[in-house]
């Protein structure tokens, strides 16, 4: 059986264009951290490193899977990012952005499997970021989320909806950091059709 997160995990990846609360458990990710404008080549290179590793992990898993295992294959999860500003600013300066980009891994993928895939990549090509990749569990907990459609530059309007929802329902944002989940490839999708889940952690105020 091939495991498809789009079908099996709609509660985490099927957000609507209206604010809602979701309880996000701990998940394992491969991740890279950085600083600066995501429109610069450095960011794209790090994204490429993560996807190369994610597909190497997947291919190794398929080759090693026994016939009696329930899941023989799986769809690679989408790119996600945790974003914050390095200093308080009235207007966003993209050069001051702090980020951790990541791709979630299925529960049955172990750190050993990740390390094996990293070594395989290192033997094939010189990737300047592969040794910086970390395998780590992240627990978001209770969050508010919304599906944003369109340009990343228009995200403030969707964040305003999230903030208003929290105000109306007695929630308080607990971190300046927020999560973005990119449901399609910005290089292959018209700007108006981009779909991004915006999410940040909350508590009852």
């Amino acid at each position: 059986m091939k495991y498809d997160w789009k079908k099996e995990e709609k509660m985490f990846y099927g957000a609507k264009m209206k604010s809602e609360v979701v309880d996000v458990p701990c998940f394992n990710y491969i991740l890279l951290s950085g600083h600066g404008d995501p429109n610069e080549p450095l960011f794209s290179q790090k994204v490429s490193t993560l996807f190369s590793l994610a597909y190497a992990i997947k291919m190794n898993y398929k080759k090693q899977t026994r016939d009696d295992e329930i899941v023989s294959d799986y769809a690679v999860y989408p790119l996600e990012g945790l974003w914050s500003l390095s200093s308080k600013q009235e207007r966003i300066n993209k050069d001051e952005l702090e980020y951790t980009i990541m791709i979630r891994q299925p529960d049955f993928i172990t750190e050993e499997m990740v390390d094996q895939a990293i070594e395989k990549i290192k033997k094939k090509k010189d990737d300047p970021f592969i040794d910086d990749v970390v395998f780590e569990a992240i627990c978001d907990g209770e969050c508010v989320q919304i599906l944003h459609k369109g340009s990343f530059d228009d995200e403030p309007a969707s964040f305003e909806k999230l903030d208003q929802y929290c105000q109306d329902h007695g929630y308080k944002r607990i971190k300046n950091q927020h999560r973005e989940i990119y449901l399609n490839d910005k290089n292959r999708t018209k700007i108006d059709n981009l779909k991004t889940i915006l999410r940040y952690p909350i508590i009852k105020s």
Side-chain angles (χ1 to χ4, degrees), residues 27-195:
F27 294 129
N28 292 325
Y29 300 88
I30 50 172
L31 54 89
L32 279 169
S33 295
H35 174 99
D37 189 338
N39 295 310
E40 294 297 323
L42 183 67
F43 182 81
S44 296
Q45 291 167 16
K46 290 185 176 182
V47 171
S48 179
T49 294
L50 282 181
F51 272 109
S52 293
L53 179 55
Y55 278 100
I57 295 167
K58 167 189 164 80
M59 295 309 296
N60 282 354
Y61 176 80
K62 285 181 65 177
K63 290 179 181 178
Q64 297 170 8
T65 301
R66 302 188 308 270
D67 292 337
D68 59 344
E69 291 188 274
I70 297 174
V71 177
S72 58
D73 191 9
Y74 62 91
V76 170
Y77 282 86
L79 180 70
E80 306 187 30
L82 293 175
W83 296 88
S84 60
L85 284 168
S86 56
S87 59
K88 290 186 178 181
Q89 303 170 24
E90 291 185 5
R91 298 182 64 182
I92 293 177
N93 179 354
K94 292 184 179 181
D95 290 332
E96 295 298 318
L97 287 171
E98 302 278 358
Y99 61 81
T100 300
I101 52 174
M102 63 195 74
I103 298 176
R104 189 180 146 197
Q105 298 301 297
D107 294 340
F108 47 79
I109 297 298
T110 65
E111 186 169 10
E112 182 181 3
M113 293 176 181
V114 174
D115 290 341
Q116 288 173 353
I118 288 175
E119 291 305 314
K120 189 173 183 179
I121 287 175
K122 289 168 68 172
K123 290 177 181 178
K124 287 185 175 181
K125 62 179 180 179
D126 182 20
D127 187 318
F129 304 112
I130 194 67
D131 281 329
D132 297 326
V133 176
V134 177
F135 180 64
E136 186 176 296
I138 298 178
C139 310
D140 285 353
E142 191 170 35
C143 298
V144 64
Q145 68 177 19
I146 194 169
L147 177 65
H148 172 79
K149 291 189 72 174
S151 171
F152 301 132
D153 292 333
D154 295 333
E155 287 180 358
S158 291
F159 278 112
E160 286 181 8
K161 293 179 181 178
L162 291 176
D163 294 342
Q164 187 63 53
Y165 179 90
C166 289
Q167 183 177 329
D168 293 343
H169 293 81
Y171 289 102
K172 180 171 67 174
R173 184 172 183 167
I174 58 175
K175 287 183 181 179
N176 185 42
Q177 187 181 65
H178 73 272
R179 180 180 292 275
E180 299 188 2
I181 304 173
Y182 310 103
L183 298 179
N184 41 25
D185 185 344
K186 70 181 182 66
N187 297 318
R188 300 179 180 179
T189 309
K190 292 182 179 179
I191 291 179
D192 291 344
N193 294 331
L194 288 173
K195 294 181 180 180

